[in-house]
Amino acid sequence: MIPGNALITRIAWRVLCVALALISSATAQQSQKLFDTVRDGVFQVRIINKNTDTTAAIGTGFFVAENGLAVTNFHVISDVVHEPEKYRAEYLGEGDKHSNAEVLAVDVSNDLAAISTKIKPSYVLHFYGGTVKKGEP
C-alpha cells in the first residue's frame, strides 16, 4: 500500500470536477441519461467482517481504468487499512457481479483510496485533460 499517492488525488479530483460539472448543468432528463451512461462505471464497495461474513460498511467506487483500477473514499475502506486481519473489501456491481477488492494506495487527508478489482469494467469514467475554470460546465 502506498500512502499519500498524488496520482489518486489528481484522478479523484478530476472525477469529482467532471461529475459535479455534468450534474450541475443537467436537467432531470439529462441527469437520467448521464446516469444510464456511467452506471456500469459506478459500483458498491462493501467492507466485510471476516469473522461473521457480514457487511460492516458500504460506499461507492468509480472505475478509472480498464484493468479494474477504481477510486473510492478512504473512510469507506479505512477498517480494511487499520484492521486487515478483521476486514476485507469487496466490489459489488450490476448483475450481482462481485470480487474481492485490494487497497492499493490511500490519501487520508483528501479522503481518497485506490482499489483494484478482478472485474473488467464495461465502462470507465473518462477525464477532461485540461484545466477547469470557475463557472465552466
Side-chain angles (χ1 to χ4, degrees):
M1 191 173 345
I2 307 165
N5 189 327
L7 176 61
I8 299 170
T9 303
R10 286 195 306 269
I11 289 172
W13 278 114
R14 284 187 179 183
V15 168
L16 181 60
C17 288
V18 170
L20 290 176
L22 290 171
I23 291 168
S24 67
S25 65
T27 65
Q29 190 174 32
Q30 290 170 323
S31 296
Q32 184 61 48
K33 185 177 177 181
L34 173 63
F35 176 74
D36 291 342
T37 301
V38 301
R39 171 188 320 226
D40 293 334
V42 179
F43 60 91
Q44 188 177 90
V45 177
R46 289 186 178 178
I47 306 308
I48 307 297
N49 182 311
K50 292 179 180 180
N51 297 326
T52 62
D53 205 33
T54 58
T55 302
I58 296 175
T60 304
F62 306 91
F63 285 115
V64 295
E66 287 81 11
N67 65 358
L69 179 66
V71 175
T72 190
N73 293 106
F74 173 73
H75 72 265
V76 173
I77 54 90
S78 62
D79 287 340
V80 176
V81 172
H82 296 301
E83 297 182 85
E85 69 287 344
K86 186 175 178 182
Y87 297 100
R88 66 179 171 82
E90 179 179 277
Y91 150 96
L92 179 65
E94 288 291 317
D96 209 27
K97 289 191 286 187
H98 62 90
S99 162
N100 285 336
E102 178 186 356
V103 178
L104 300 176
V106 299
D107 181 342
V108 178
S109 62
N110 288 298
D111 192 28
L112 299 171
I115 61 175
S116 176
T117 72
K118 294 181 176 116
I119 302 291
K120 295 280 187 185
S122 59
Y123 184 85
V124 173
L125 295 178
H126 300 279
F127 305 102
Y128 173 68
T131 302
V132 179
K133 296 177 185 162
K134 185 176 181 179
E136 262 186 346

